[in-house]
Each structure stands twice: as structure tokens, then as C-alpha cells.
Amino acid sequence: MVDLAYRSLADYKQAKQQASAQPEGFWEDIANQFEWHQKWNKALTFDFHKPEVKWFLGGKLNITENCLDRHVKTQPNRTAIIFEPNDPKETAQHISYKELHSRVCRVANMLKKNGAKKGDRICLYMPMVPELAVTVLACARIGAIHSVVFAGFSAAALAARINDADCIMLVTADGGFRGAKVTPLKDIADEALTHCKSINTSIVLKRTGQEVAWNDIDVWWHEALAEVDDLCPAEIMDSEDPLFILYTSGSTGKPKGMVHTCGGYMVYTAYSFQNVFQYEKGDIYWCTADIGWITGHSYILYGPLAVGATTVMFEGVPSYPGYDRFWEVCAKHKVNQFYTAPTAIRALQKHPVDLVSKHDLSSLKVLGSVGEPINAEAWHWYDDNVGKNNCPIVDTWWQTETGGILITSLAGITEQKPTYATLPMPGIQAVLLDNEGNELVCKNEGILAIKHPWPSIARTIWGDHERYKNVYFSAYPGYYFPGDGALRDAEGNYRITGRVDDVVIVSGHNLGTAPIENALNEHPNVVESAVVGFPHDIKGNALHAFVITKDAVYDNEALVTALRALVAKTIGPIAKPDRIQVVSGLPKTRSGKIMRRILRKLASGEFDQLGDVSTLLNPDVIENIKRNN
Ligand code: WTA
């Protein structure tokens, strides 16, 4: 195992100092802990105005040699992945580094044999089974760019992502198990592919054994795999070659394909993983995310594997077969570090606490939280019942775009503070800005921004560098703008207050309101719509859609059902609004812009906090909305 962690507060302080005195030397020292075919000739070039960021220029490597080959030399029999299936009656799998290496190489050869090569984009639409992890790494092995699409997305969403990146290959499965549900992944993929021209081959893994239709481009995984061996030298990649694309929602209808590159992403995910969770040799670490999201990419796969850790991969959901599934799995595998989302904690908190206490959780050392602000009640429930007030909680703030955790405490090393993500990691220069872009000092509240690049910052949006510039670098020139607001206490701890744009975080999932509105507007009876978030006690936020219809229907259940189904079909079930309200009009400015601030207050029931509405083009609609709320 490689040890990149500061194990004491003194080490941490020294690192912080070094990182601010010599930012480049600081990252070079960390990068030197990895295996490179050729060292870089320059650590960093960047210009946030352009914007352009490059790390470890001229460096040559393959991330899978760092995640696999080097551990095969030193700890071949250590378990790399523990796979815990959806159904507790199915046996868990323990995959050693040696076996994982062999499986990755074989799948890499299978991808090559079916026409994939360096630089090609391969779309993965798969359940949370070891083959997904293996395929991700196999793409990296051969230098193909993986684009994992979360298996809860609809056919339309999948097609949009395949087309955006011109993927030449799809890897999917007949179906996937998630709780009591079976998702017909192949059927959904088939529907998507009727809208995609770029895919030449679709490799299909058998997971559920259900009947599937068969097309010319389809190849069974097990048949294709039988034709290849497990000798596959790693493709030598440039530090700045793309490693993967991962889509995230934005404030227009089109998802943004964030591009991460090989060198910087590897360095940062490994460094942050080990420091934040204080992972030690032999520990069992479990992150409950799905590999379809960035948390799964960085902290189920790449970060843990890069340091030689044992990482648990869970196919199921927290509520199946019972609401104690998480705790049962923790006890079963003697999990040491457990990393989950506040929405899961809030959902489990509603159930009797003996569902937690009946399991032996004494192996736990560190708890983590990610994806959305964690409220005080959930924080304390987690601390009391899961951690028994004996496990530090790391509240980790980061994004798909940042590639790795930027603001957090380091477990047991730096101070935690409930509901605060706390301090920027060494090497991360966070600031608060006012609306004009001036840096705020001391205790304050404002817009969160980052002043200097870190190795795993996304380099562009696939195919749309202009949008990358507009979204992240234009509002506050010279800074990376993440889209979140924050407040800072006198000690410099940050508390994230939520999005300042039209993205709503629902159950930890980023949902742009624009694509949902586009979906609603597809309905023949919808003239216009506006979607906003409102506070929800389990999901954190839920969605409220205001729709104007052609025919004045004020309580039409059939319409609401149809609209919810339309959103599920266009985007996926996660984007379905909790509430759909038919209204006579939407509050607009005189220039015709929808006043979302007012809609947010209306959706939250804060009728007395609407502020001055007299300047609206149509103040009368407010009364109508209030009446029908
Ligand atoms: C939110 C998930 C508060 C934030 C890793 C961010 C958080 C967005 C936290 C990114 C946290 C993530 N506290 N808010 N600890 N972590 N967020 O891209 O609004 O799915 O901008 O990445 O989630 O979501 P994404």
C-alpha cells in the first residue's frame, strides 16, 4: 500500500504551509509517489481567464498500472473489491488485486477485439456489479474514454449522452437488481440506440437472466470474453489525455460532459481519499454511492484502488430487504470507513433505532457525508447511533467538476463542526466573494470560489469549451465558480448554504430545472412551466413544478400523472416533481424573465416573504398561485 496521508495535526499544518508557499512543488511531491513511464517536465500551466489548466505536462502514465499492477507486485492477495449483492442471500465476492488485474486485462482485450481503441468513447450503462468496475478500468487500460451513465436514467437521457460524446461502443446488461425492482437495462438501451448512430457494438452482460431482444450489433459479454486472454499491456497515456467524461446537469437543457484527465485526477483522488478518511493498511472502506456518479468514480474506484485499499461495492439500496441493510453490511464486512449521503441518513433516521443498534458496528472508525448539506439533526443521529460518538464525521464538499473532495475535515486530524464542511484541503485556495466579485474577509457569507487550480479540476465540457468558460469562469473572472453559496466562521470553517443557480439537489442528485421544464413543455396541454426546489425533510429538497396549461384545468389528476410519467421517461424517475401545480400565469419581470426567487418562496409556503412584487409584469398571478397552493 502507498501511504499519502498526514497522520497528525502537525503534519497537516506543515502540508498547508508548504502548499501555500510552493503550490506546484507541493503537488509534485505527491505526484512523485506514483508510477510514471516518464516524469512531467512542468508541473502546471494555467490561465483561468482563457480558461486552460494543465497539470504534470509531458508526464506519461497509465492510471490502471497505479491502481492495479503496482499492488499486484506488493500485495497480490489483498482484497481490492468486496462485492455485496442486492440480495443478501447471494454470496458476496472478494476480488483480490491479482484477480482484478487479470479481469481488467481480459475485458480490455475484449473491448479491443470488438473494435475499441485509444481515444474512443465507450458508454457504460450497467448495474452496480463488479463487471462495471472492471469495464471502467478496462477502458482506462486501453486509453478509451469511459462515459458511465447512471442506470436509473431513461432511454432519452442515455441517447443524449451517447450522442453528445459520439460513443462507438455501449456496454450494458440484460437487467439490473435494485431493491425489489428489476430494471430492464437492455430494453432501455435498445430504445436509446434507435436514436444513436455512432454505436457499432453493444456488449451485453447477463445479470438477471431475463429475456431480451437481440440486434445485429449485440454481443454477449460471456461469449466475447471467452475469446480473449488476460495479457494486456497498459496503453501509455499523456498526463492530460482524457480519462473519462461524466455528465452533470446544468441550467440549460443539455447535460454537461465534464472531462477529467489521467494524471491530475489520479494524484488528487488518491491523495484526498487517504487523507480525508485516514485509511490505513488492511482497513475495509465502503462508499455507498453508485459508480454512475462522480462519488463512485473517485471514491469507490480510482482513489481507493490507487492507494491499494479494500473497497466495498454494493449493488442494492438502503431499504432492501429491510431498513437495516447498511448496518448489516457494515457488520458483515467489518467496515472501518463508511461514506454515504445525508438523504440516506435522513431516510433511515425515520425508522426504529434498534435497526441500527442490533448490529455490531464496532469496526467503524470514520463516517463520511457527501452530496448535499447535512442538517444538524441528521448529523447528530449519525454521530450518536452509527458512530456511537466515537467516529469522526467528515462532511465532504465537492462536485463532479472538482473530481475530488475540496473542503472537509480530515478524520480525527482536524476539528469537525456539525453542518460545516470545515476547511479547504491543503492545496485548495477557497475564498468567499460578494456579488461584485470582491473577496470577503474573516467571518462572512457569500459566494464560494476557488482561486488556484488543483490537479483534478475538470479541464473542459466535452465538445463545448465556450460553455465551460461561461458556466465556471465568467461570472467572477479569475476564479473557478462552483455555483454554491457558503458562510465562513471566525476560524475559517466553511458551511455550504446551497446552490446559487438553477440546479436543485434532490436526494443528493444534481437536477437542473431547465431540462425538467423542457420535458414538461413537451406535453401538448402545457404552455409554459417553471420548476423550483423546496425544502423536504428526507430528500433535502424536492421539486415543485408550476405549469400553465392550454385548457384551464386546476385539479387534473390525469394531467399530473401524465406529466410525472413524461419527466420519468425523458430524464429518469429521480427527476419527477413531488408537486405539480396548474397556475394561470408565472410571475415575470417586465422583461419577461420568470422570477424564480418568488416561486421558491411560494413553493416553500413562505407567503409573507415574497418581497416587493409590485414591479412584476403580472402581480395578480401571485394571488392565484397562493389560492391554489
Ligand atoms: C452539493 C457530488 C453541501 C453542492 C460530490 C455541489 C454539497 C453539488 C456537499 C455537487 C456537502 C456536495 N455539503 N453541499 N458536503 N457535497 N454538495 O456534482 O451543491 O453530484 O455543488 O457532486 O452537491 O454535486 P455532484
Side-chain angles (χ1 to χ4, degrees), residues 262-337:
C262 298
Y265 178 81
M266 170 182 77
V267 170
Y268 196 84
T269 52
Y271 155 83
S272 53
F273 167 71
Q274 212 174 29
N275 275 294
V276 173
F277 298 100
Q278 289 290 306
Y279 184 87
E280 289 174 288
K281 192 170 180 165
D283 282 349
I284 312 285
Y285 159 88
W286 180 20
C287 164
T288 69
D290 192 290
I291 291 176
W293 310 115
I294 192 67
T295 308
H297 281 60
S298 302
Y299 299 113
I300 294 178
L301 292 183
Y302 286 114
L305 296 177
V307 301
T310 299
T311 174
V312 177
M313 187 176 167
F314 175 48
E315 185 183 21
V317 293
S319 55
Y320 180 83
Y323 282 93
D324 62 340
R325 184 71 163 124
F326 273 2
W327 322 126
E328 184 207 354
V329 175
C330 282
K332 177 175 172 186
H333 297 298
K334 302 201 166 35
V335 169
N336 302 113
Q337 292 87 7

Side-chain angles (χ1 to χ4, degrees), residues 248 294-295 369-374 395-401 421 482 484 496 498-499 505 508 510:
T248 187
I294 192 67
T295 308
S369 172
V370 58
E372 54 184 315
I374 180 165
D395 174 359
T396 62
W397 175 84
W398 59 297
Q399 311 180 293
T400 305
E401 296 85 336
D484 281 318
I496 311 302
R499 301 291 308 185
I505 314 273
N510 270 16

Side-chain angles (χ1 to χ4, degrees), residues 356-383:
V356 191
S357 54
K358 75 181 201 197
H359 296 284
D360 175 7
L361 299 182
S362 58
S363 58
L364 287 174
K365 298 197 282 190
V366 175
L367 303 177
S369 172
V370 58
E372 54 184 315
I374 180 165
N375 49 306
E377 205 191 338
W379 196 99
H380 287 292
W381 185 88
Y382 199 25
D383 186 37

Side-chain angles (χ1 to χ4, degrees), residues 361 364 367 381-391:
L361 299 182
L364 287 174
L367 303 177
W381 185 88
Y382 199 25
D383 186 37
D384 294 345
N385 299 295
V386 183
K388 322 282 183 207
N389 305 117
N390 207 15
C391 300

Side-chain angles (χ1 to χ4, degrees), residues 242 255 259 271 324 361 469 544-545 613 629:
V259 177
Y271 155 83
D324 62 340
L361 299 182
K469 178 176 180 171
H544 187 130
V613 296
N629 198 289

